[in-house]
Amino acid sequence: GENVEQHPSTLSVQEGDSAVIKCTYSDSASNYFPWYKQELGKRPQLIIDIRSNVGEKKDQRIAVTLNKTAKHFSLHITETQPEDSAVYFCAARGGSYIPTFGRGTSLIVHP
Amino acid sequence: DTAVSQTPKYLVTQMGNDKSIKCEQNLGHDTMYWYKQDSKKFLKIMFSYNNKELIINETVPNRFSPKSPDKAHLNLHINSLELGDSAVYFCASSGGTSGEQFFGPGTRLTVL
């Protein structure tokens, strides 16, 4: 089955800095890679996703890159703000409709 | 309108009891899921249910059982609750070609 590794487990940055979270996956058949943000006490919510026919996708301050050859994908947040503080989960989904989640990264943005 | 709803939001109970958590989605999705999130925040898939096909994570104890009365509902029954069952349980649904999962607000279960 699919195995998704996510790093780092904790990331602490100053407001205005950039943050990068990296994930690797094992199943070359995976073709959909979503990222979820979970604020404290709330539900996970999709913030951006990318499919295997695309190498990069941007949405304002967030971007995701995908390297299919190396089987890794990354989330980039620029100009971080305190409200970006949350747990971020990457996931990978292939032939099965069930996604496999990474273990999460706790992002702390210091004002 | 709430897309995916769960009840109750909080559940406090004694060891050995049997309890249920209800989940409903009004998105018309074909697939529903149950996740367990422990204190370390890891989202562990427990079950997925798609067009009457149930896929069970083999690591889930058989004290846990999902019940789907119809496509919009997937309830979770837990028998003989144990201390280690304390966690937040999320219901989710997905459908169409987007792949996005929509999560419910979560149920915080505390077993004393």
Side-chain angles (χ1 to χ4, degrees):
Chain A
E2 175 67 277
N3 182 47
V4 176
E5 300 282 341
Q6 182 172 347
H7 299 281
S9 57
T10 305
L11 181 57
S12 184
V13 300
Q14 289 295 129
E15 182 177 0
D17 288 350
S18 294
V20 180
I21 302 170
K22 298 182 179 181
C23 290
T24 60
Y25 62 99
S26 60
D27 187 352
S28 55
S30 288
N31 56 18
Y32 175 65
F33 307 92
W35 286 87
Y36 290 82
K37 175 184 180 182
Q38 185 180 24
E39 297 177 356
L40 188 63
K42 302 284 182 65
R43 73 190 81 190
Q45 291 189 292
L46 182 76
I47 54 170
I48 195 168
D49 56 13
I50 192 167
R51 298 189 185 272
S52 59
N53 58 348
V54 175
E56 183 176 4
K57 185 176 178 181
K58 285 185 180 180
D59 183 3
Q60 299 182 355
R61 294 186 299 107
I62 60 173
V64 58
T65 57
L66 171 65
N67 183 327
K68 282 195 66 181
T69 303
K71 295 201 194 74
H72 66 69
F73 57 113
S74 301
L75 178 71
H76 304 254
I77 306 174
T78 58
E79 299 172 27
T80 53
Q81 301 167 4
E83 52 265 39
D84 295 329
S85 297
V87 178
Y88 291 81
F89 294 95
C90 65
R93 192 193 70 175
S96 161
Y97 58 82
I98 303 172
T100 300
F101 282 84
R103 298 190 72 89
T105 295
S106 180
L107 174 64
I108 303 163
V109 181
H110 300 280
Chain B
D1 285 352
T2 303
V4 183
S5 59
Q6 291 177 232
T7 54
K9 190 169 176 63
Y10 300 96
L11 185 52
V12 181
T13 189
Q14 300 286 329
M15 278 177 56
N17 284 350
D18 303 337
K19 290 293 179 186
S20 295
I21 306 172
K22 294 185 176 181
C23 177
E24 176 181 2
Q25 53 97 4
N26 62 7
L27 297 167
H29 287 164
D30 289 326
T31 308
M32 296 184 73
Y33 312 79
W34 276 105
Y35 288 87
K36 177 182 180 182
Q37 187 172 47
D38 59 24
S39 58
K40 294 184 178 179
K41 303 299 182 184
F42 179 47
L43 276 170
K44 174 185 172 183
I45 182 121
M46 302 177 71
F47 305 100
S48 66
Y49 199 83
N50 174 281
N51 290 327
K52 300 186 179 179
E53 179 193 11
L54 176 65
I55 298 179
I56 302 171
N57 184 327
E58 60 190 17
T59 67
V60 174
N62 58 15
R63 299 182 294 104
F64 291 79
S65 58
K67 298 250 186 337
S68 179
D70 55 58
K71 203 172 82 164
H73 297 84
L74 184 65
N75 304 324
L76 182 65
H77 297 269
I78 316 169
N79 295 326
S80 303
L81 278 155
E82 300 178 358
L83 293 176
D85 298 333
S86 295
V88 179
Y89 292 83
F90 285 99
C91 176
S93 72
S94 67
T97 57
S98 76
E100 178 180 358
Q101 292 206 320
F102 291 81
F103 285 82
T107 296
R108 181 173 292 277
L109 172 65
T110 303
V111 182
L112 303 174

